[in-house]
Amino acid sequence: MGTALARAAQWTAAGSGTGTLEITPLNESLLNQIIKFVEDFSSRHPQEAAFVFREPLEWETQLSSSVFGEDYEINDETAQSKAKDKDGKPLLLLTGSTLRVRSFDQLSRLLEVAVEKKLKEVQACLEANRDPIVKILGPAYGTVEGEDRSMLHLLDKVKRDDDTETEMKIKIFVFLHQLDLQLLNSALKQISQHVRLNPAAIDNEVNLLKNFSGKGEDTVLKSLQYTSDYVFFNGCRAPPWRQVHGEVCYLVIKPHDTGPLYITCSTAGVFLNGGQQEGKDDIDYERKSDVYKDIVTLLREKSPRFVENMAKQEYTFFKEPTYEKKYQHMEVVDSKVSGQSENLNDFTKKNECEKVKSSAARKYTIEKKKIGSSIKLKSTGLLTARRPKYFRDETVRKDTGVERKSSTVSLKFKKKAISSESVKIQSSSKRTTPDMFEDESSSETEEDEEQPVCLQERSTDLPPEYWGIQKLAKYLKGGNATATVIALCSMRDFNLAQDTCQMAIRDLECLEVLINLLETEEIRCHIGSLRILKEISRNSMIRHAISDLGGLQIMVKILDSPSQDLRCLAAETIANVAKFKEARKTVRQHGGIKRLVRLLECTSVGSTSPTTYQVKDTEMARCGALALWSCSKSTRNKEAIRAAGGIPLLARWLRCSHVDILTPVAGTLQECASEPSYRLAIRMEGMIQYLVKNLSSESEELQMHCANAIFKCGEDKETRDLVRQHGGLQPLSALLSNSENKELLAAVTGAIWKCAISGENVSKFQEYKAVETLVELLPDQPEEILVNIVGALGECCQETANRSVIRRCGGIPPLVKLLSGTNQALLVNVTKTVGACATEPESMIIIDRLDGVRLLWSLLKNPNPDVQASAAWAICPCIENAKDSGEMVRSFVGGLELIINLLKSKNKEVLTSVCAAITNIAKDEENLAVITDHGVVSLLSKLANTKNDKLRRHLAEAISHCCKWGSNRLTFGENKAVAPLVRYLKSSDPSVHRATAQALYHLSEDPNNCITMHESGVVKLLLVMVGSTDETLQEAAAGCIANIRRLALATEKAKYG
């Protein structure tokens, strides 16, 4: 078990102390296998279960003494087992929160009483006892690296001593060793499903990085080299005894901003090792970091300088167009009335304006660069180490007359060039970056990708606020600490949410000054600057400008400040700026995620009467949660939050009652819940209970985030059950009445949809009248909400009573109307719902009257396979329950040919649904004749070799019904469809057996098919099924055997007379 924990389990990178088991699907699988092993140990090995451990397994438990039963002596917070060892010590002892267990029997009993907490208990036990075998059996049995010869030594000892205790230990060791192998095999099976690196890919990446490494400040790395030049025949450089662990090679990389990085490249990924061992030629192979998918990803996390220099190199490497090309295409957009059409005169003026502004933009950029580069830095009392480039005193201004003149010219130019329209500059050729350098994925919307580079609208007559800020800008740049602080305070008196004030701050270069102030040693300047940046960073353009000027990197460093006020302001500003992809990436690459997670560490969670210090702690956690919420829209950042230990901290804060911190916490969780690892963690950390509780909050925003989290987590059955058990279905049903708030309604209907997948939940929704409310909401809703409403109705329709409710409430007409829409997700859901309603004859009459079947049939032309499959499934009950289904199907011109052509699809679900539809179509003799002419027999025969049981069942049913026309039986035999059908009888699905037996029975009426079946060994398989309790299967199997027997008798009679 120690080997599996060391090699297969996924541990967090321990910054200090020992790591913890990460909450991942792989670890959950391993823990469940260990639980099953321990639970079954007492019944399977009763003697070994009574064995007393060498040392007790000790860990901090979440169980209280009250959970233990009559076999335990309970006293307040203490509990001990009545079972004792030979020295009179209890085999289980609970003292406070510390639990000590000394036998497998007690471990098994403990898991029985732990109930839903058993997973957490096993996790805590293994984290506290990294090599449990040592405590169970002693140090001689411990897990060792390399060749393990302990088993041979133990066998020798048994031969010498003939000791019963040693023999018992050997048995237990063997059992644990078998568990170890089982865990390793299970982990290997799961890990092997992921994409793996190979020597060639690693070598290509190393060679690529070498091209950009070497001496010089602009290179991405100082050096990069293999630790060994010897290459084995398989391309690996790792020694053979390490290759068995999947390791390929070892690298020593020297970045510009950190010490040497010792890296192991393996088939599972790339990670840091311990480097060269002192006094030895060997490497410390132990993993010292998380596993990354490639070398570049690891370097991006470990070296900010690598990221900066790689960005510079990309222009050269990818041969990008020159800087001026970025201004080739410019579009004038009327900022007052968007969406208006332009006449010819407007278009001509626009082109002229483009030429002027394109030239002006380039000139302005060049002028600005000259000014910035000519400003000299001079130390004053404000700065000791480095002075911001925009701080200059009177002496400097006298000596830089040229610069001042240039600045004046630039300002005059801006007043002339900018009209009442804004200019949007678009790059004529966007830079594309390969996946290895651009691995930001994600849940980001198109809006997140936009990076507006435009000049704000401004007329020549500027309001007084503009000139007021211009006056303050002079003092802001003066270089005197006191004057700067007063200027910052005065600037805050303006309404910084106004476009005019924001435009003034940007145009007068105050933004650069504000960011430079963050690097001074004056805390008052830090606070004043951050307060202003926090307000103005709500503007999209200013957010991008702050990022471009390097403001985020400075704010991330401020998160380490001892001042709580500074950390709060920096986090809130980061929350505003990190609204687009590049900003989120910058925060992560400079270590911002770990620092933001640390802001959540607080002891005042749930405190009824917090002290002043605890109130500040809570405020700091709120600001950190806001920033994490903004950053969590990126998949890579979600992973970084989890790796930094953010999940348990978010779970703690979810228990508090303060809405202002609950909102960003719930917002972060609902963003992250799109990842399977987070959904698992939310369930295991007990967060569902508090998400349900906050559905009853007075804050609609908090309700929305909690409902969204349940919506995303509802993919898992365990979560759906927890929502029901904690009473979450009633508040969800009640929130449907708030139809004015569309965002809340979308989240609530989504949560109801996913919860309704479980039949037990559908009964509860029926009790709360949720189906009636959902039907009432169908008219006049946005498509996003309709997808969820119809999805929920589709799941509720699995209950017969709810289908009647939908019909009585008038829900079928709006559902049929939605069949003519274009939203693919909505079409999938509405076809499923209409198909479910069609199982009722009364509803089918309404659907047919509204021409719903024709609309369903037309959806078979939709290019989306999901829509095709859903439409075909819906057609099945329509044909079954229509009054004159045969005539109805023939009335659709080209309809039969369309559905037969879908048998050429590559999608398994489409093929399965079409086979089911053909089964119903073939019940009408005329329709069967038509589809036979369209080649249905040959197309069905081509599918016969499938291994998909669901497709097998419906394919066999379709073949069975198609055999009833003409010479179709003979044709199926000629197309070699008979022998594959015999193999279907070996399936484990009883429904496949029944359908196949019926198909074989009809096919066996042709003599040649009987011969093929007999040669394929069908008789032996059918004889077993003759004894089945399923009468249909019995009759079909017996009939097929009878046909084969009759042919054999006829052959014998003809042969021997």
Side-chain angles (χ1 to χ4, degrees):
M1 192 155 58
T3 307
L5 290 175
R7 297 181 181 176
Q10 297 170 329
W11 296 84
T12 58
S16 60
T18 57
T20 58
L21 281 167
E22 294 184 15
I23 303 174
T24 64
L26 173 60
N27 282 352
E28 185 187 28
S29 173
L30 296 179
L31 291 174
N32 282 326
Q33 290 179 66
I34 293 170
I35 288 170
K36 189 175 187 310
F37 172 82
V38 175
E39 286 178 336
D40 297 344
F41 198 86
S42 293
S43 57
R44 296 177 64 182
H45 314 290
Q47 291 184 341
E48 289 77 10
F51 175 79
V52 179
F53 298 163
R54 176 78 172 267
E55 294 179 36
L57 294 176
E58 182 178 334
W59 70 92
E60 294 299 312
T61 181
Q62 295 182 2
L63 301 176
S64 63
S65 58
S66 59
V67 302
F68 295 97
E70 58 184 15
D71 292 332
Y72 298 87
E73 298 171 359
I74 302 169
N75 183 16
D76 295 332
E77 295 185 355
T78 303
Q80 63 180 22
S81 63
K82 293 180 180 177
K84 306 283 196 300
D85 64 6
K86 61 184 180 181
D87 297 327
K89 296 179 181 178
L91 297 181
L92 183 146
L93 177 62
L94 173 65
T95 309
S97 62
T98 304
L99 185 63
R100 297 178 182 86
V101 183
R102 304 186 63 192
S103 75
F104 279 109
D105 181 53
Q106 291 299 322
L107 281 175
S108 180
R109 292 167 183 264
L110 176 69
L111 292 179
E112 285 181 20
V113 300
V115 196
E116 73 274 1
K117 293 183 179 179
K118 62 175 69 174
L119 205 63
K120 297 293 288 184
E121 289 301 311
V122 173
Q123 180 182 348
C125 175
L126 295 177
E127 287 173 354
N129 306 277
R130 293 290 286 268
D131 195 355
I133 297 177
V134 172
K135 290 195 172 183
I136 294 171
L137 302 175
Y141 298 81
T143 305
V144 295
E145 288 293 328
E147 186 180 6
D148 186 1
R149 306 183 65 88
S150 58
M151 183 66 77
L152 297 176
H153 294 314
L154 292 169
L155 288 172
D156 289 340
K157 187 175 181 181
V158 170
K159 289 178 182 178
R160 288 196 311 268
D161 300 346
D162 193 21
D163 183 12
T164 54
E165 184 181 353
T166 305
E167 187 177 349
M168 178 77 73
K169 286 184 178 181
I170 288 289
K171 286 182 180 180
I172 294 173
F173 183 78
V174 170
F175 295 146
L176 293 175
H177 184 65
Q178 289 172 347
L179 173 63
D180 228 0
L181 293 176
Q182 178 187 332
L183 296 175
L184 288 170
N185 288 333
S186 173
L188 181 63
K189 187 176 180 180
Q190 291 192 46
I191 293 169
S192 63
Q193 294 172 357
H194 299 289
V195 178
R196 303 175 74 80
L197 294 177
N198 57 63
I202 294 168
D203 200 45
N204 289 338
E205 191 175 11
V206 169
N207 290 334
L208 180 63
L209 288 171
K210 279 184 175 179
N211 291 336
F212 297 98
S213 302
K215 296 179 180 178
E217 293 297 316
D218 292 334
T219 58
V220 296
L221 299 167
K222 288 182 182 178
S223 66
L224 180 149
Q225 59 186 15
Y226 291 107
T227 58
S228 171
D229 293 329
Y230 183 79
V231 182
F232 290 88
F233 70 94
N234 58 0
C236 296
R237 296 171 187 260
W241 60 89
R242 297 305 303 177
Q243 289 184 32
V244 297
H245 298 291
E247 294 176 5
V248 177
C249 64
Y250 310 99
L251 299 169
V252 180
I253 298 178
K254 295 182 179 178
H256 288 286
D257 53 350
T258 66
L261 301 176
Y262 300 95
I263 293 175
T264 297
C265 299
S266 72
T267 54
V270 178
F271 56 86
L272 296 179
N273 59 46
Q276 195 78 23
Q277 293 182 349
E278 292 185 11
K280 297 182 180 179
D281 294 333
D282 210 356
I283 294 173
D284 179 3
Y285 297 109
E286 185 179 353
R287 177 162 67 89
K288 304 294 183 183
S289 73
D290 292 336
V291 179
Y292 299 88
K293 68 175 185 178
D294 52 36
I295 302 169
V296 170
T297 306
L298 184 147
L299 290 171
R300 279 179 173 276
E301 292 293 331
K302 302 298 179 184
S303 171
R305 184 72 173 277
F306 171 82
V307 178
E308 294 173 11
N309 288 1
M310 182 57 77
K312 298 175 186 175
Q313 297 293 337
E314 283 173 8
Y315 282 99
T316 309
F317 183 70
F318 297 110
K319 298 181 180 178
E320 290 300 318
T322 58
Y323 181 78
E324 286 76 16
K325 288 185 181 179
K326 288 192 177 183
Y327 297 95
Q328 285 181 1
H329 176 65
M330 304 179 70
E331 179 185 352
V332 177
V333 181
D334 190 339
S335 61
K336 291 182 180 178
V337 184
S338 59
Q340 284 188 342
S341 60
E342 300 172 8
N343 58 31
L344 183 61
N345 293 333
D346 292 337
F347 185 76
T348 308
K349 289 178 182 178
K350 182 175 79 172
N351 287 343
E352 291 174 0
C353 184
E354 283 179 4
K355 293 178 183 178
V356 173
K357 292 180 181 178
S358 177
S359 173
R362 287 196 294 272
K363 180 179 176 183
Y364 174 64
T365 306
I366 295 166
E367 288 290 337
K368 197 172 175 183
K369 285 184 176 178
K370 287 179 181 178
I371 298 166
S373 61
S374 64
I375 294 174
K376 298 178 181 178
L377 304 179
K378 184 175 181 181
S379 297
T380 65
L382 182 64
L383 295 173
T384 57
R386 184 165 82 84
R387 180 181 180 128
K389 61 183 179 180
Y390 291 101
F391 275 29
R392 41 189 189 271
D393 57 19
E394 293 298 325
T395 310
V396 176
R397 289 202 293 274
K398 288 179 183 177
D399 294 338
T400 55
V402 176
E403 288 83 346
R404 290 177 62 208
K405 182 179 178 182
S406 178
S407 180
T408 307
V409 171
S410 177
L411 188 58
K412 286 180 180 176
F413 146 69
K414 286 191 284 185
K415 288 182 181 180
K416 284 183 180 180
I418 301 174
S419 66
S420 61
E421 295 173 330
S422 65
V423 181
K424 185 187 288 181
I425 305 170
Q426 297 177 350
S427 174
S428 61
S429 60
K430 291 184 180 179
R431 190 171 45 146
T432 57
T433 311
D435 291 341
M436 71 173 291
F437 296 116
E438 184 58 64
D439 48 16
E440 193 79 12
S441 59
S442 89
S443 54
E444 287 134 4
T445 62
E446 188 178 341
E447 184 182 350
D448 294 323
E449 302 296 333
E450 291 178 0
Q451 297 196 13
V453 186
C454 54
L455 301 174
Q456 276 278 21
E457 174 188 7
R458 182 171 84 229
S459 64
T460 51
D461 298 327
L462 293 167
E465 289 88 351
Y466 187 95
W467 304 115
I469 289 178
Q470 186 185 43
K471 291 176 184 177
L472 289 175
K474 180 174 67 175
Y475 297 103
L476 198 63
K477 302 174 185 179
N480 180 279
T482 305
T484 302
V485 171
I486 293 171
L488 289 170
C489 295
S490 301
M491 193 173 287
R492 285 200 64 219
D493 292 337
F494 289 93
N495 183 2
L496 297 177
Q498 280 187 356
D499 289 343
T500 306
C501 297
Q502 294 171 356
M503 179 174 58
I505 289 172
R506 192 184 66 254
D507 286 353
L508 299 169
E509 298 179 347
C510 292
L511 195 58
E512 291 91 331
V513 179
L514 290 170
I515 290 171
N516 282 332
L517 282 171
L518 299 178
E519 295 190 282
T520 65
E521 294 181 354
E522 182 63 48
I523 291 181
R524 293 177 300 168
C525 291
H526 291 178
I527 293 174
S529 176
L530 282 172
R531 287 187 186 279
I532 294 170
L533 288 171
K534 184 187 79 171
E535 295 298 326
I536 64 176
S537 58
R538 292 186 173 90
N539 178 288
S540 175
M541 279 183 55
I542 291 180
R543 283 201 291 268
H544 285 82
I546 290 171
S547 178
D548 293 341
L549 291 167
L552 277 172
Q553 292 91 318
I554 303 169
M555 291 177 207
V556 167
K557 291 178 182 175
I558 291 174
L559 293 174
D560 290 329
S561 169
S563 168
Q564 285 189 333
D565 291 337
L566 271 181
R567 279 183 281 172
C568 288
L569 288 168
E572 278 195 278
T573 311
I574 289 171
N576 290 339
V577 176
K579 300 288 186 185
F580 60 99
K581 184 172 71 173
E582 290 302 322
R584 290 192 282 269
K585 191 197 302 185
T586 301
V587 173
R588 185 186 72 249
Q589 289 172 345
H590 289 81
I593 300 295
K594 292 179 181 176
R595 292 176 170 92
L596 289 170
V597 169
R598 281 205 298 268
L599 296 183
L600 300 179
E601 296 174 356
C602 174
T603 56
S604 63
V605 181
S607 180
T608 53
S609 54
T611 62
T612 306
Y613 177 79
Q614 288 175 330
V615 169
K616 285 187 176 180
D617 253 12
T618 304
E619 174 62 15
M620 190 166 64
R622 183 190 70 84
C623 298
L626 279 170
L628 288 173
W629 185 9
S630 295
C631 293
S632 63
K633 287 185 172 61
S634 158
T635 304
R636 292 293 308 280
N637 284 357
K638 292 173 190 174
E639 177 63 24
I641 293 169
R642 185 188 61 76
I647 296 176
L649 295 173
L650 289 169
R652 282 173 55 195
W653 281 109
L654 195 62
R655 294 177 172 88
C656 77
S657 56
H658 305 295
V659 174
D660 54 348
I661 188 170
L662 278 172
T663 302
V665 167
T668 305
L669 287 171
Q670 67 90 12
E671 283 288 351
C672 295
S674 57
E675 298 296 312
S677 59
Y678 270 90
R679 294 201 293 270
L680 173 63
I682 287 171
R683 189 174 79 242
M684 288 183 62
E685 292 286 348
M687 290 189 242
I688 298 297
Q689 175 185 351
Y690 298 96
L691 290 172
V692 167
K693 177 185 174 183
N694 289 316
L695 287 174
S696 304
S697 168
E698 294 180 359
S699 167
E700 290 188 357
E701 186 180 6
L702 178 57
Q703 289 175 332
M704 178 189 71
H705 294 315
C706 291
N708 258 327
I710 293 171
F711 177 20
K712 293 177 181 177
C713 293
E715 297 286 346
D716 308 319
K717 184 182 183 304
E718 295 86 351
T719 301
R720 296 195 294 270
D721 293 340
L722 285 171
V723 173
R724 182 182 70 256
Q725 290 162 13
H726 292 300
L729 303 182
Q730 196 276 331
L732 283 173
S733 302
L735 285 172
L736 288 174
S737 59
N738 189 352
S739 58
E740 299 301 320
N741 187 333
K742 298 301 180 186
E743 288 184 341
L744 175 59
L745 187 60
V748 169
T749 51
I752 290 174
W753 172 19
K754 294 304 177 183
C755 289
I757 295 172
S758 296
E760 300 92 335
N761 292 348
V762 172
S763 301
K764 285 289 184 182
F765 284 131
Q766 194 174 343
E767 182 184 330
Y768 300 136
K769 307 294 183 185
V771 178
E772 290 88 336
T773 312
L774 287 169
V775 172
E776 291 172 8
L777 290 171
L778 277 172
D780 304 322
Q781 295 293 346
E783 284 188 342
E784 179 190 4
I785 297 175
L786 282 173
V787 171
N788 298 341
I789 292 174
V790 177
L793 288 173
E795 296 299 337
C796 291
C797 274
Q798 307 312 312
E799 294 283 339
T800 307
N802 288 332
R803 294 196 286 268
S804 302
V805 169
I806 292 173
R807 186 187 74 254
R808 290 198 305 269
C809 293
I812 292 178
L815 286 171
V816 172
K817 185 179 178 182
L818 291 174
L819 289 171
S820 56
T822 56
N823 184 299
Q824 304 297 299
L826 179 56
L827 287 173
V828 170
N829 286 351
V830 77
T831 47
K832 179 180 178 180
T833 308
V834 170
C837 290
T839 56
E840 272 201 338
E842 297 89 343
S843 300
M844 183 58 219
I845 294 170
I846 301 172
I847 292 169
D848 193 18
R849 188 177 67 243
L850 296 170
D851 214 15
V853 183
R854 187 181 299 276
L855 289 170
L856 284 171
W857 215 288
S858 67
L859 288 175
L860 296 175
K861 299 177 184 177
N862 193 293
N864 188 329
D866 293 334
V867 176
Q868 292 174 346
S870 189
W873 283 120
I875 285 169
C876 296
C878 290
I879 297 173
E880 285 179 9
N881 294 288
K883 282 188 176 179
D884 189 0
S885 60
E887 185 59 38
M888 179 188 72
V889 170
R890 285 192 296 278
S891 69
F892 303 140
V893 179
L896 290 173
E897 184 180 3
L898 172 62
I899 202 164
I900 296 303
N901 284 332
L902 284 177
L903 288 172
K904 299 173 184 176
S905 172
K906 302 295 183 185
N907 186 286
K908 287 285 193 295
E909 191 65 21
V910 172
L911 293 172
T912 305
S913 59
V914 169
C915 286
I918 288 172
T919 300
N920 288 285
I921 291 169
K923 291 175 183 178
D924 181 88
E925 193 173 82
E926 290 184 44
N927 289 338
L928 177 55
V930 174
I931 62 175
T932 299
D933 291 341
H934 286 308
V936 69
V937 174
S938 60
L939 290 170
L940 290 173
S941 299
K942 288 178 181 177
L943 302 175
N945 287 305
T946 182
K947 294 181 180 179
N948 184 299
D949 274 352
K950 189 177 179 183
L951 176 55
R952 280 177 166 182
R953 174 196 164 188
H954 291 286
L955 175 60
E957 287 177 352
I959 290 173
S960 174
H961 283 81
C962 288
C963 283
K964 297 174 183 178
W965 176 257
S967 60
N968 282 356
R969 296 184 186 87
L970 177 63
T971 312
F972 276 120
E974 291 172 350
N975 284 304
K976 303 186 185 308
V978 178
L981 279 174
V982 174
R983 292 196 291 271
Y984 292 8
L985 297 175
K986 297 177 182 179
S987 167
S988 59
D989 187 349
S991 61
V992 175
H993 295 166
R994 180 170 51 186
T996 305
Q998 287 178 310
L1000 291 172
Y1001 168 65
H1002 289 290
L1003 288 168
S1004 66
E1005 294 182 17
D1006 177 71
N1008 291 324
N1009 291 344
C1010 286
I1011 295 168
T1012 305
M1013 291 178 199
H1014 190 273
E1015 290 174 348
S1016 301
V1018 75
V1019 175
K1020 187 177 179 181
L1021 295 168
L1022 288 174
L1023 281 171
V1024 176
M1025 294 176 186
V1026 169
S1028 170
T1029 54
D1030 185 335
E1031 290 184 6
T1032 306
L1033 176 56
Q1034 272 184 359
E1035 290 177 7
C1040 185
I1041 293 171
N1043 287 338
I1044 295 171
R1045 182 58 183 157
R1046 285 193 199 99
L1047 177 63
L1049 290 172
T1051 305
E1052 286 180 10
K1053 187 175 181 180
K1055 187 175 181 181
Y1056 301 108

